[in-house]
Amino acid sequence: MNRSMILYVVGHVVMLEGVMLLLPCLVSLIYQESEGIDYLVMAVICMLIGAIIVKHKPKVNVFYLKEGCIATALSWIALSIFGALPMCISGDIPSFTDALFETISGFTTTGASILNDVEALSRTTLFWRSFTHWIGGMGVLVFLLAVLPLSGGSNINLMKAESPGPSVGKLVPKIKYTARILYVIYIVLTAIEIILLIAGKMPVFHAFCTGFGTAGTGGFGTKNDSFASFSPYLQWVVTIFMILFGVNFNAYYLILFGNIKKALKMDEVRTYFLIIVAAIAVLVLNLIHTMDGFWTVLRHASFQVASIITTTGFSSVDFDLWNQTCRTILVILMFIGACAGSTGGGIKVSRFIIVVKSVIKELNSYLHPKSIKKIKMDGKPVEHEVVRAVNVYFITFIILFTTSVLLISFEGKDMTSNFTAVAATINNIGPGLELVGPTKNFNVYGTFSKYVLMFDMLAGRLELFPLLLLFYPPAWKELLAVRRRK
């Protein structure tokens, strides 16, 4: 295992985080807040540590998927720890566990919070919380691939370890240019949303924070009521962009280069929009007699469906007060999630399509045992390796989900709260129901449960296996074996 290359990647990530920490320092200068000093100190420390690590360049740049997974998992853990320290040191979130929870929730674009009063935070910290969403949405390693030639032809393994979905491919022959195209699309969409928010008379600071939270499908708000106090226009803008950021970015690439028909024929994108329309219709029918006016019902139903299926986690109303049918729909959407290749979390629409087609294929095999049929998506056969990986993912997801619910149940909280707390964290959504509903927070849980939920957030964002590999003994034996041979 190429241990030096793993350290080299982690070093670059830490150094990059030091650069990113300079942005809240700028916000601190604008609003004349003293918290900027703490962020500046941490920025310098990160850049120094990163520079020391990357000073020793590895002799061999090529590495495989195992190195990519371990480098990705360690990078995200390092990001979270260093990102939490300025929050803790500044006193905005005095407890390190709580600061770490908030930071992991930010980088993984979960949006689950332990804060009772968000508005009491300094603007410096509010900006940093939202900016972690934007960085985590597309992925910090994807950004590194866009600007640095880290590992020659094997850098696809970094993208595979960090990017969401059952399979990852190149948009163009070189992975560096693929990463650049993804980030250009990401930046342009974010900029358009921020402009539209400012046009709707949202203050510039809130517009940037909201734009970052929407783009990363994260959900950290700048108001205690999330989005309830903003105007209908602003809610519609955010609804539309939440849905857009949940679309597979491959579709935008196809549209960008004039292949609109092919983008519209993508099975996953069409299913994604079909689920959204169906869920909104069911919610509107159930809520039509509980609110004033059809358009009000449509707006709130659309906002919450978009927020949950894209795993953003903003809320325009307290949906925990809705009837059981509506709440059940939202919980189902928590698990489905957005498209693969988007900034959204969840299991992903493409995986559900593959599983449903696998079931249909199995049923057909009972009727016609000698028939041989391939599972297809977008008119192309899905490789057996992808189908196998999806099946293994579902099994692993169920085991991890069940174990997490069991572990946090020892605190004695009700089943609905525990179930949706794990669902909201492992699917990177944010709010759940009951004790962790949209008007409440995760501070109801103790330290042990918070660490379980932090693990779930990281596992969910990294598609389970990169993080689980860190806890797999043979992986560490291989690292130590390399060390002994040297």
Side-chain angles (χ1 to χ4, degrees):
M1 192 174 286
N2 195 341
R3 188 161 54 91
S4 59
M5 193 62 204
I6 292 172
L7 288 173
Y8 189 65
V9 172
V10 175
H12 273 290
V13 169
V14 173
M15 193 159 56
L16 177 60
E17 183 168 29
V19 176
M20 293 188 299
L21 281 165
L22 294 176
L23 285 176
C25 297
L26 180 61
V27 174
S28 179
L29 282 175
I30 294 171
Y31 293 99
Q32 298 181 342
E33 294 177 334
S34 60
E35 287 81 3
I37 297 172
D38 302 304
Y39 283 85
L40 180 60
V41 170
M42 190 51 58
V44 173
I45 291 173
C46 286
M47 284 188 276
L48 285 174
I49 293 174
I52 291 170
I53 295 174
V54 302
K55 185 180 179 181
H56 304 285
K57 292 184 179 180
K59 295 178 180 179
V60 181
N61 283 343
V62 178
F63 65 110
Y64 300 98
L65 186 59
K66 56 187 177 183
E67 285 94 349
C69 288
I70 290 176
T72 300
L74 290 176
S75 295
W76 279 74
I77 291 171
L79 269 176
S80 302
I81 292 172
F82 286 112
L85 287 174
M87 288 186 182
C88 187
I89 296 168
S90 66
D92 274 339
I93 306 178
S95 166
F96 175 73
T97 296
D98 288 346
L100 185 62
F101 186 98
E102 202 77 6
T103 308
I104 289 176
S105 182
F107 277 119
T108 59
T109 72
T110 304
S113 181
I114 47 77
L115 297 169
N116 295 314
D117 187 5
V118 172
E119 295 176 36
L121 293 176
S122 65
R123 287 179 180 256
T124 307
T125 296
L126 277 174
F127 179 87
W128 176 239
R129 286 170 79 241
S130 296
F131 188 67
T132 56
H133 279 337
W134 194 82
I135 290 296
M138 185 59 68
V140 67
L141 292 174
V142 174
F143 179 78
L144 280 179
L145 292 176
V147 297
L148 293 172
L150 283 177
S151 51
S154 65
N155 51 21
I156 183 66
N157 291 314
L158 275 181
M159 185 171 275
K160 282 182 178 179
E162 189 180 53
S163 299
S167 62
V168 176
K170 302 175 183 180
L171 299 179
V172 291
K174 288 190 176 181
I175 197 70
K176 181 198 294 188
Y177 298 123
T178 295
R180 286 179 181 176
I181 290 169
L182 291 173
Y183 255 97
V184 167
I185 296 170
Y186 191 47
I187 291 169
V188 169
L189 283 175
T190 305
I192 293 171
E193 184 191 0
I194 291 172
I195 291 169
L196 291 174
L197 291 174
I198 293 172
K201 298 181 180 179
M202 178 182 276
V204 174
F205 176 80
H206 295 285
F208 271 89
C209 290
T210 301
F212 293 149
T214 308
T217 59
F220 275 153
T222 54
K223 299 284 187 181
N224 288 329
D225 63 0
S226 188
F227 240 77
S229 59
F230 288 109
S231 69
Y233 165 82
L234 295 173
Q235 290 179 3
W236 275 117
V237 169
V238 171
T239 299
I240 292 168
F241 276 90
M242 284 191 292
I243 293 171
L244 290 178
F245 280 108
V247 172
N248 191 321
F249 273 51
N250 287 356
Y252 294 132
Y253 173 80
L254 293 172
I255 293 170
L256 190 64
F257 288 93
N259 205 338
I260 299 174
K261 287 185 179 180
K262 190 174 180 180
L264 295 176
K265 288 182 179 179
M266 289 178 68
D267 289 344
E268 183 180 32
V269 175
R270 292 165 66 181
T271 305
Y272 169 71
F273 280 104
L274 181 64
I275 293 169
I276 290 173
V277 171
I280 291 173
V282 173
L283 261 61
V284 168
L285 290 173
N286 277 271
L287 298 171
I288 193 69
H289 301 297
T290 64
M291 299 180 192
D292 296 329
F294 171 77
W295 293 109
T296 301
V297 175
L298 180 63
R299 171 163 48 87
H300 289 305
S302 301
F303 189 97
Q304 290 313 147
V305 167
S307 179
I308 298 301
I309 195 170
T310 62
T311 70
T312 305
F314 285 137
S315 58
S316 61
V317 291
D318 185 0
F319 56 79
D320 195 26
L321 300 176
W322 289 355
N323 63 38
Q324 292 299 326
T325 301
C326 293
R327 300 203 311 166
T328 302
I329 292 292
L330 294 180
V331 171
I332 292 171
L333 294 179
M334 287 182 183
F335 289 94
I336 295 174
C339 297
S342 72
T343 62
I347 293 175
K348 305 294 180 303
V349 174
S350 57
R351 284 197 178 97
F352 277 98
I353 293 173
I354 290 172
V355 166
V356 170
K357 288 188 175 184
S358 297
V359 172
I360 293 171
K361 179 186 175 184
E362 190 67 19
L363 289 172
N364 282 328
S365 71
Y366 278 86
L367 296 174
H368 309 286
K370 294 182 179 180
S371 66
I372 300 174
K373 287 188 177 182
K374 284 274 189 179
I375 295 171
K376 292 184 177 181
M377 279 191 69
D378 302 329
K380 298 177 182 178
V382 178
E383 294 179 8
H384 174 73
E385 185 64 24
V386 174
V387 177
R388 184 197 64 81
V390 169
N391 293 335
V392 173
Y393 179 92
F394 267 93
I395 294 169
T396 309
F397 183 93
I398 292 168
I399 293 171
L400 183 57
F401 184 90
T402 306
T403 304
S404 298
V405 172
L406 175 64
L407 289 174
I408 69 171
S409 70
F410 295 135
E411 285 198 18
K413 305 291 189 299
D414 65 277
M415 181 65 179
T416 302
S417 297
N418 291 337
F419 185 91
T420 57
V422 175
T425 49
I426 199 170
N427 291 311
N428 304 133
I429 293 162
L433 300 175
E434 299 294 347
L435 295 177
V436 291
T439 61
K440 301 178 179 67
N441 58 67
F442 284 73
N443 212 23
V444 294
Y445 286 103
T447 301
F448 173 75
S449 293
K450 285 176 182 174
Y451 277 98
V452 172
L453 297 174
M454 281 188 258
F455 179 90
D456 288 340
M457 286 189 276
L458 284 168
R461 174 59 183 84
L462 299 179
E463 302 281 285
L464 307 184
F465 296 103
L467 189 66
L468 292 176
L469 196 60
L470 281 184
F471 297 86
Y472 186 53
W476 287 103
K477 285 181 181 178
E478 190 169 335
L479 277 170
L480 293 173
V482 170
R483 193 174 183 179
R484 283 197 297 269
R485 283 199 298 270
K486 287 182 178 180

